[in-house]
């Protein structure tokens, strides 16, 4: 069976309000299409014949394919049979269709929020994220050509998935005992009840943050945890922090690109796999997942957040190219 790869590109990634309140880079449509073209070249070099693409309002995948002018084979781009509503649910629905289609890998162009949405539908299909969002804790700055080569080799089943990918941790968010949503990097509880522009940049409203990882080389809410208790992606632990402007300890944290703010740390503790933290809302509160406001809860609601280790498979392109070199997959037959 010929290898097939999926591609989900979020047209809204890299364009939110943090371009106005901070100094985040705007990732334009032309930049995304050029990245997709480079991905297609890499996939073609690995013998991938078809790429199934999520339809969206800007038609990034089809436009990139139509204007691709290179020597050598490139895969045919086919659009998934689904409506484009331009909501986050499109990414989840597309990932589910790609999983059922049996693609060897799903390339995702977006930020943490896009990867989170895709992970809901992808099941065990491995994800290879490419950074085109604002808070890019999960998607790495991998070049599109390398990403295409890596995804193509993975789709050819050239080596076991466990050798080139890892299972990411995730947070299960429940309200009054009923599972409601998930986060891959951080879940935050904020004061207020208006979703607004979704992006979180005012830490004065944040009361609690639970993280799966906290790297000192990242921005966003997880960066607050990083300066208190750094946690690596492979570490089988997370962290829970309570914030308060009146706290005795204050730290500086890069909460968005070019935006550094003092944050009061009331308390913090490490979470082990399976641990649950529960908070009762003392007023209207908002749940922000992976840096974006998602839904509000009422006074008296019980918010529970549980750390799990069996999240989506995340491909590490460097590991793939190392395996390709070891198996001489770059060699050209005489």
């Amino acid at each position: 069976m010929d290898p097939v790869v999926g591609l989900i590109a979020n047209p809204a990634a890299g364009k939110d309000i943090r371009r106005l309140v901070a100094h985040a880079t705007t990732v334009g449509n032309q930049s995304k299409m050029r990245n997709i073209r480079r991905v297609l070249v890499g996939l073609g070099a690995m013998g991938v014949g078809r790429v199934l693409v999520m339809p969206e309002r800007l038609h990034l995948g089809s436009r990139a394919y139509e204007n691709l002018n290179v020597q050598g084979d490139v895969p045919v781009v086919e659009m998934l049979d689904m409506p484009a509503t331009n909501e986050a649910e499109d990414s989840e629905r597309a990932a589910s269709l790609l999983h059922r289609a049996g693609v060897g890998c799903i390339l995702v162009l977006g930020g943490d929020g896009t990867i989170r949405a895709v992970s809901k539908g992808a099941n065990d299909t491995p994800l290879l994220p490419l950074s085109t969002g604002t808070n890019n804790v999960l998607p790495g700055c991998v070049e599109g050509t390398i990403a295409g080569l890596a995804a193509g080799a993975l789709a050819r089943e050239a080596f076991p998935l466990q050798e080139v990918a890892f299972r990411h941790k995730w947070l299960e968010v429940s309200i009054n005992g009923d599972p409601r949503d998930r986060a891959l990097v951080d879940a935050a509880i904020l004061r207020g009840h208006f979703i607004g522009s979704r992006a979180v940049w005012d830490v004065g409203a944040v009361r609690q943050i639970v993280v799966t990882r906290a790297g000192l080389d990242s921005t966003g809410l997880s960066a607050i945890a990083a300066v208190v208790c750094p946690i690596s992606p492979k570490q089988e632990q997370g962290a829970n922090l309570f914030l308060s402007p009146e706290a005795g300890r204050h730290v500086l944290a890069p909460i968005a690109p070019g935006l550094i703010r003092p944050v009061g740390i009331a308390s913090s503790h490490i979470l082990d796999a399976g641990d649950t933290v529960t908070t009762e809302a003392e007023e209207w509160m908002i749940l922000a997942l992976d840096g974006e406001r998602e839904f509000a809860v009422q006074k008296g609601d019980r918010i529970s957040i549980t750390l799990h280790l069996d999240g989506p498979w995340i491909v590490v392109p460097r590991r793939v190219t190392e395996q390709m070199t070891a198996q001489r997959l770059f060699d050209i037959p005489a």
Side-chain angles (χ1 to χ4, degrees):
M1 183 176 178
D2 292 336
V4 182
V5 167
L7 188 145
I8 295 175
N10 180 2
K15 298 177 181 178
D16 65 34
I17 195 172
R18 282 166 288 192
R19 277 86 199 145
L20 300 177
V21 299
H23 300 281
T25 300
T26 299
V27 184
N29 302 331
Q30 291 299 323
S31 176
K32 291 175 184 176
M33 285 192 291
R34 284 193 292 269
N35 213 357
I36 293 172
R37 291 187 189 111
R38 296 194 292 270
V39 165
L40 294 175
V41 170
L43 291 172
M46 287 290 100
V48 174
R50 295 166 59 223
V51 178
L52 304 181
V53 179
M54 178 188 77
E56 33 76 23
R57 59 185 174 84
L58 298 179
H59 312 291
L60 297 174
S62 57
R63 288 164 63 193
Y65 176 66
E66 290 168 0
N67 297 318
L68 185 60
N69 182 21
V70 297
Q71 294 181 345
D73 295 331
V74 293
V76 174
V77 168
E78 300 177 10
M79 308 309 293
L80 289 170
D81 184 12
M82 57 171 279
T85 67
N86 303 316
E87 300 292 340
E89 289 73 19
D90 286 359
S91 296
E92 180 180 352
R93 187 179 304 112
S96 179
L97 291 173
L98 292 171
H99 171 69
R100 280 184 268 169
V103 300
C105 180
I106 302 176
L107 290 144
V108 187
L109 279 73
D112 294 331
T114 307
I115 310 302
R116 167 179 158 265
V118 171
S119 74
K120 295 181 183 180
N123 204 296
D124 284 338
T125 303
L127 310 180
L128 201 166
L130 288 83
S131 170
T132 60
T134 306
N135 286 345
N136 299 300
V137 176
L138 238 175
C141 294
V142 57
E143 210 285 324
T145 313
I146 305 303
L149 289 169
L154 198 61
R156 287 173 52 181
E157 300 180 350
F159 23 71
L161 178 61
Q162 293 82 352
E163 295 182 2
V164 297
F166 68 98
R167 297 210 83 146
H168 201 277
K169 295 171 280 187
W170 65 289
L171 300 170
E172 180 182 16
V173 179
S174 299
I175 306 299
N176 298 323
D178 297 323
R180 176 71 179 270
D181 213 324
R182 68 164 61 182
L184 296 181
V185 178
D186 52 61
I189 303 175
L190 298 74
R191 294 174 55 189
H193 59 278
F194 293 112
I195 301 300
S197 62
R198 302 183 76 87
V200 179
W201 70 90
D202 179 15
V203 292
V206 181
R207 288 294 170 260
Q208 184 179 357
I209 305 172
V210 183
V211 300
T212 64
R213 55 190 286 176
L216 292 166
D217 56 352
S218 301
T219 61
L221 296 180
S222 68
I224 299 173
V227 297
V228 177
C229 48
I231 297 173
S232 74
K234 307 296 179 57
Q235 193 174 336
E236 295 186 349
Q237 291 177 314
N240 177 39
L241 292 84
F242 287 95
L243 312 185
S244 172
E246 289 79 33
R249 180 186 181 186
H250 281 70
V251 298
L252 284 175
I255 59 172
L259 188 64
I260 301 174
R261 289 290 182 266
V263 183
I265 308 297
S267 65
S268 64
H269 70 270
I270 296 296
L271 301 175
D272 292 319
D275 283 355
T276 299
V277 295
T278 301
T279 302
E280 183 173 318
E282 298 178 353
E283 55 186 312
W284 274 96
M285 310 291 280
I286 292 174
L287 266 292
L289 307 176
D290 293 331
E292 297 181 348
R293 296 178 178 90
E294 291 296 334
F295 57 89
V297 296
Q298 303 180 60
K299 179 179 180 180
D301 282 346
R302 191 174 75 259
I303 307 164
S304 299
I305 304 174
T306 304
L307 175 66
H308 297 283
L309 305 181
D310 58 345
W313 284 101
I314 303 297
V315 178
V316 183
R318 177 183 52 79
R319 288 192 192 173
V320 180
T321 52
E322 288 173 351
Q323 287 289 331
M324 292 170 68
T325 303
Q327 298 186 26
R328 304 184 68 169
L329 295 184
F330 288 116
D331 286 17
I332 300 174

